[in-house]
Amino acid sequence: MHWLVNAMTDSRERETFNMLNCNIYVFDHSAAINIDDCVNCNFFLGPIKSSVFIRDCKNCKFILSCQQFRTRDCNKIDIFLCCNTQPIIEASSGMRFGCYQYFYPELADHFKSAGVTDAKIDDFLSIPLAEEFSKMNISLDVSKSVVPKTHGNRRKPSDESTLVVFFNDGSCSARAFSFINAMRSSHQECTLIQTKEVELKPEDAQRVFNTDSYNNIVQQGAVIGMEYNGDDCVETCKTEALNFMKGSVGLVFVSQSQSEAEKQIEDFYNFADMQMAV
């Protein structure tokens, strides 16, 4: 059985329960979702503004993005997740997690409406195919995904990391994604560890960048920060960033050395974590 929700006129709270051998697809943003007592089901859920709570489910697969994710009394669940906070797993077993990778035309706008920005999940699974939607404009292509694929909190491949920050100029998201795709295509030796979109005040920027040069520009809006890791990644990202700045008024920051990068990454992501906790 297939259930499809598309182009809803409001962001509502949804509940699903007692489903068996079903495929449920919600191509819309929602306020909150509760899922109970489902067996052998597949779920795709558009961005959720607050929480997803999954209880008493077994042998199910989920692709979802939310502010808060929680499970209780679940068994053998595969989840491709983008979540603004650390997931809460209670009395559950056989849980496997993967990086959220998905695209449909309205998804970016739905992410903005729901306020979901980033994942804190490592990539342990390969995302399933979507043969059921061959006629729809849906893609699992990593280069098209609204959420970039990141390495997460696993052991880093190299001892060298660098911080790259795109400042808000009205198109920083597009420029950041283009940079990520260029790095993936031309510099596979550099691994994207984590990303975060945050609002910085001038005093926050001065603490992260150790200069007041960015105090004015951070007041234009949220910045997008990303950590890259790999041998010579500092110089590689500096070179690639210079190419992106040619013919553009958009500003990009890249750590100037490995020693500076370590502190800048720590300060930037510590601030981002504190902002999420507020």
Side-chain angles (χ1 to χ4, degrees):
M1 180 180 295
H2 294 256
W3 292 82
L4 175 65
V5 177
N6 192 15
M8 299 295 293
T9 58
D10 61 348
S11 173
R12 62 182 66 182
E13 184 170 332
R14 311 181 198 276
E15 294 186 359
T16 302
F17 53 89
N18 295 333
M19 305 293 283
L20 176 64
N21 299 326
C22 292
N23 296 315
I24 298 95
Y25 304 92
V26 180
F27 294 103
D28 190 23
H29 61 100
S30 306
I33 292 185
N34 295 320
I35 299 171
D36 297 291
D37 298 299
C38 294
V39 178
N40 295 329
C41 293
N42 298 313
F43 291 83
F44 171 81
L45 307 176
I48 296 108
K49 189 171 185 178
S50 58
S51 65
V52 174
F53 195 3
I54 303 172
R55 296 171 290 197
D56 299 298
C57 292
K58 182 178 180 180
N59 293 327
C60 292
K61 290 181 172 63
F62 296 86
I63 302 176
L64 61 91
S65 52
C66 58
Q67 294 278 357
Q68 183 183 69
F69 176 81
R70 183 178 177 185
T71 68
R72 190 175 69 199
D73 298 318
C74 292
N75 180 246
K76 294 184 179 180
I77 304 294
D78 290 350
I79 303 155
F80 301 88
L81 178 65
C82 173
C83 186
N84 278 12
T85 57
Q86 290 286 3
I88 301 171
I89 311 299
E90 299 178 278
S92 299
S93 61
M95 308 286 291
R96 301 194 301 171
F97 290 89
C99 215
Y100 182 103
Q101 300 284 274
Y102 214 82
F103 170 84
Y104 61 86
E106 300 83 10
L107 184 55
D109 289 337
H110 291 169
F111 261 89
K112 292 179 181 178
S113 298
V116 180
T117 59
D118 203 2
K120 298 179 75 68
I121 286 294
D122 298 340
D123 180 32
F124 296 140
L125 299 173
S126 297
I127 202 161
L129 298 177
E131 291 87 352
E132 298 94 336
F133 301 103
S134 57
K135 295 182 180 180
M136 298 178 65
N137 191 10
I138 294 171
S139 176
L140 302 179
D141 187 340
V142 172
S143 66
K144 294 183 178 180
S145 176
V146 173
V147 178
K149 187 175 183 179
T150 56
H151 188 77
N153 294 327
R154 292 172 291 171
R155 183 181 178 88
K156 297 177 183 178
S158 170
D159 292 331
E160 181 176 338
S161 286
T162 189
L163 178 67
V164 180
V165 178
F166 283 80
F167 295 92
N168 198 314
D169 65 343
S171 62
C172 67
S173 292
R175 291 191 298 118
F177 273 104
S178 295
F179 181 86
I180 290 171
N181 287 333
M183 289 291 292
R184 183 187 299 115
S185 175
S186 303
H187 304 288
Q188 296 183 11
E189 72 280 7
C190 295
T191 301
L192 181 59
I193 301 297
Q194 56 182 332
T195 67
K196 185 66 66 178
E197 183 176 13
V198 296
E199 300 271 356
L200 291 177
K201 297 179 180 178
E203 57 268 27
D204 303 321
Q206 186 156 349
R207 183 166 54 253
V208 171
F209 304 116
N210 198 29
T211 175
D212 60 5
S213 300
Y214 305 99
N215 288 8
N216 290 330
I217 195 169
V218 296
Q219 298 181 67
Q220 296 180 9
V223 305
I224 297 175
M226 53 189 77
E227 177 188 356
Y228 271 94
N229 178 270
D231 295 342
D232 297 322
C233 69
V234 173
E235 292 302 320
T236 300
C237 288
K238 286 164 62 176
T239 301
E240 197 64 46
L242 285 174
N243 292 333
F244 266 76
M245 292 177 67
K246 292 178 181 177
S248 171
V249 297
L251 187 62
V252 184
F253 169 88
V254 182
S255 301
Q256 294 301 298
S257 68
Q258 181 178 352
S259 58
E260 291 181 4
E262 291 178 0
K263 185 177 186 305
Q264 289 163 348
I265 291 168
E266 181 179 4
D267 289 344
F268 182 86
Y269 283 98
N270 281 345
F271 173 79
D273 289 341
M274 286 190 296
Q275 193 175 81
M276 285 171 54
V278 174

